[in-house]
Amino acid sequence: MGRMARKLQGDWPVSAIPATKIAMNEVDTEMSLLGSLIATEGALEYSAGLIKPEWFSEPILRYIYEQCTKLAEAGHRLSPPTVIAAMPEDIAGVPRSQFYAHLTRESLPVSMIGGMLQTVKDRWARRVLAEMGQSAIEQSQMHGADPYEVASRSMSMIDTVMEVQAEKSGSSLSEAGKQFFEDIANPDNLKGDTTGVRILDSKLNGFRRGQLYVVAGRPGMGKSAFMCSTARRTALSGVGVLIFSLEMTRQEIFARMAADQIDWTKAPGFGDLLRGDLKGMDDHVGNAYEALRKAPMHIDDSARLTFAEIAAKARRLKAEMEMHGVRLGTIWIDHMGLVTPSDRYAGNKVAEAGEVSGRARALAKELDCCVILLCQLSREVEKRDDKRPVMSDLRWSGEIEQDAHVIGFLFREEYYLNQQEDVDEIMLRDARWKMDFLIRKNRNGATDDVRLWCSIAHSSIRDNV
């Protein structure tokens, strides 16, 4: 096995490797792991989802692993002839049948592959970090390089490592059961952080930790109002809230929350507050400021952010909140389409959307909080007589549907009625102050249509009474 590994790597003397340094490419271990996966019955199925192809430093081993995974997914048995046929005919001067024999000669049972897997993953993480560090050093010394873009790419690579780390936690069924019974003994442990709306707390069990919520709608449906109103009330309950607003400024968000906080029939709308027209309600606006000033909320209104930057800032702010005795409960991202994509997928919108939703889900698990993505719906809604959105209206919906625990659509009939020339005044009056929250995916509960009360001018969302 060792001679074969050296044949792939190059015949370098072991004495040339300093004993004080870790070998970044454990090709012997990679070969043993791959051999165990393809030769041991059920091993590849056991490891499904646990091993990523890029963890193999040697390209030919990575290629063989990918081919075997495809065969297993297609329902083929990994018999020697099947696997050998999937290999290149010649591998580093070795016939493929001989290479297969080397791979499988020292295969181990399923129960023993964990150690090899951990080593292979560890070396991959170290290679990524080393590559990132070397690349950052080289680019930081170039005259035309933007240091902030260099930092962003570096954070993206670090996030790739952190996402894998976030996936490794686990426990036995016995431990999971013990935790479950401890939780149901105190039902509050099973509840998420409040949305500020009783009916939504009931239907969704609040904003639950470790989960990704997607709230989508066409322009004018009230996404910003929903975010500002529910985030305000979550924060006022004592739970930390972090808002990444790539669309609105922090002043606009404050004006919306202040108008909502006053919650009075004649209160100024947020548009009035932004114009400085307090309508003689200076004291009420001042009281709203005092209430909101103490809320554990942070607003980042950077115009451009990659998800790597969002994740890095979220980690830092979570640590800062915890230093002040506050638990970070929810992270809002407004909105998904404005997150700057990485270079990985180069304009492939479906893949870019999947990258954002996948990383948002991973961030929720890593930070043990709820991440809420606001999304725009496609224009297909406008082409139908029935404007109520359906799942296919979600842009690049396949990846988002898969990643999200909860998907809710916002719909306001009043918005569309106001666009009609011969609108029925009775229908218009009945639709006023109404918003529908359409739960179209709820992994831990039922789907439903929920009627809410809203005042868009005040960014206020309440239970419908």
Side-chain angles (χ1 to χ4, degrees):
M1 184 73 75
R3 288 195 301 275
M4 182 62 68
R6 285 195 295 275
K7 201 173 192 61
L8 292 175
Q9 286 186 303
D11 198 10
W12 301 311
V14 174
S15 59
I17 302 174
T20 56
K21 292 187 177 181
I22 293 176
M24 301 294 271
N25 302 318
E26 295 276 1
V27 180
D28 273 333
T29 304
E30 292 178 16
M31 293 182 69
S32 294
L33 175 61
L34 183 58
S36 299
L37 293 175
I38 61 180
T40 307
E41 188 74 28
L44 197 65
E45 292 79 357
Y46 167 84
S47 67
L50 297 176
I51 304 174
K52 299 183 185 298
E54 58 266 28
W55 293 359
F56 291 93
S57 63
E58 184 58 50
I60 187 59
L61 301 182
R62 188 182 316 135
Y63 173 81
I64 294 171
Y65 175 72
E66 289 176 330
Q67 295 304 308
C68 290
T69 300
K70 290 177 182 178
L71 288 169
E73 289 175 348
H76 298 293
R77 182 173 173 271
L78 296 182
S79 63
T82 303
V83 175
I84 292 171
M87 295 181 177
E89 291 188 4
D90 181 88
I91 302 171
V94 177
R96 58 186 177 183
S97 58
Q98 184 180 342
F99 191 83
Y100 176 86
H102 277 288
L103 276 180
T104 57
R105 183 174 298 151
E106 298 180 24
S107 62
L108 300 172
V110 175
S111 60
M112 298 180 66
I113 69 173
M116 292 187 294
L117 191 157
Q118 188 59 42
T119 298
V120 169
K121 181 170 67 171
D122 175 87
R123 299 308 186 264
W124 163 80
R126 292 173 186 272
R127 291 195 302 273
V128 171
L129 293 175
E131 179 185 341
M132 179 272 295
Q134 185 60 40
S135 176
I137 291 171
E138 293 173 357
Q139 293 181 53
S140 65
Q141 297 171 344
M142 296 179 181
H143 287 292
D146 184 333
Y148 302 103
E149 289 187 6
V150 173
S152 177
R153 285 194 290 270
S154 299
M155 287 191 292
S156 181
M157 295 182 76
I158 292 173
D159 267 349
T160 300
V161 175
M162 291 302 297
E163 286 172 16
V164 170
Q165 175 72 4
E167 292 170 359
K168 78 172 188 176
S169 61
S171 63
S172 68
L173 184 61
S174 173
E175 291 170 331
K178 179 181 178 182
Q179 183 64 54
F180 172 76
F181 283 111
E182 288 177 357
D183 286 342
I184 61 175
N186 183 1
D188 287 343
N189 291 347
L190 298 172
K191 293 180 180 178
D193 297 315
T194 182
T195 65
V197 183
R198 289 191 303 274
I199 185 65
L200 285 183
D201 284 348
S202 173
K203 297 289 184 181
L204 303 178
N205 207 10
F207 292 133
R208 301 195 66 185
R209 300 186 198 183
Q211 299 198 352
L212 173 63
Y213 288 50
V214 172
V215 178
R218 289 292 296 155
M221 293 298 104
K223 296 188 297 298
S224 296
F226 183 86
M227 178 186 74
C228 290
S229 186
T230 54
R232 177 187 69 83
R233 299 179 85 176
T234 301
L236 289 177
S237 74
V239 177
V241 173
L242 173 55
I243 296 176
F244 291 99
S245 176
L246 289 87
E247 189 166 47
M248 294 185 290
T249 66
R250 65 188 68 185
Q251 290 85 356
E252 290 175 296
I253 291 176
F254 175 79
R256 287 174 175 269
M257 291 187 175
D260 184 29
Q261 177 72 26
I262 296 170
D263 194 20
W264 197 37
T265 307
K266 296 182 180 179
F270 68 84
D272 298 318
L273 295 181
L274 287 170
R275 290 189 295 271
D277 183 6
L278 305 187
K279 299 188 180 301
M281 299 193 65
D282 306 56
D283 290 344
H284 290 281
V285 176
N287 291 336
Y289 166 73
E290 286 300 319
L292 294 173
R293 183 175 64 87
K294 301 172 185 177
M297 182 185 300
H298 181 90
I299 301 169
D300 187 312
D301 60 355
S302 303
R304 296 179 70 250
L305 285 174
T306 64
F307 205 91
E309 292 168 329
I310 288 173
K313 290 184 176 189
R315 293 187 192 105
R316 176 174 58 81
L317 288 163
K318 173 184 170 69
E320 289 182 5
M321 286 185 176
E322 288 177 346
M323 287 175 62
H324 292 88
V326 176
R327 175 179 60 80
L328 177 62
T330 59
I331 298 174
W332 291 82
I333 302 175
D334 180 22
H335 59 82
M336 180 180 182
L338 295 178
V339 176
T340 302
S342 69
D343 298 331
R344 187 182 303 177
Y345 299 108
N348 183 330
K349 294 298 183 182
V350 174
E352 287 175 355
E355 180 183 37
V356 172
S357 63
R359 298 184 84 169
R361 179 188 174 109
L363 185 65
K365 289 190 69 176
E366 178 191 339
L367 300 187
D368 192 29
C369 66
C370 179
V371 174
I372 305 111
L373 276 177
L374 296 189
C375 294
Q376 296 275 23
L377 291 176
S378 72
R379 291 189 177 91
E380 293 300 313
V381 175
E382 313 297 338
K383 299 177 183 178
R384 301 194 301 264
D385 291 335
D386 183 358
K387 309 296 186 186
R388 295 170 72 84
V390 295
M391 196 70 91
S392 59
D393 294 322
L394 194 60
R395 284 179 176 175
W396 314 298
S397 59
E399 297 291 337
I400 302 172
E401 284 183 45
Q402 175 178 300
D403 291 325
H405 294 85
V406 172
I407 297 177
F409 297 140
L410 299 179
F411 174 73
R412 290 195 310 116
E413 187 178 16
E414 181 192 21
Y415 176 86
Y416 292 106
L417 289 175
N418 276 323
Q419 296 178 349
Q420 299 178 11
E421 294 181 1
D422 55 346
V423 61
D424 185 318
E425 292 297 331
I426 296 177
M427 290 180 63
L428 183 60
R429 186 175 66 249
D430 288 344
R432 193 179 184 193
W433 315 117
K434 292 179 181 178
M435 170 188 281
D436 291 330
F437 189 92
L438 312 176
I439 305 171
R440 291 296 173 261
K441 178 180 180 181
N442 188 5
R443 182 162 293 171
N444 297 310
T447 58
D448 201 357
D449 294 354
V450 179
R451 175 61 53 86
L452 305 174
W453 179 94
C454 75
S455 172
I456 296 300
H458 299 86
S459 277
S460 294
I461 309 294
R462 302 285 186 272
D463 285 283
N464 189 50
V465 292

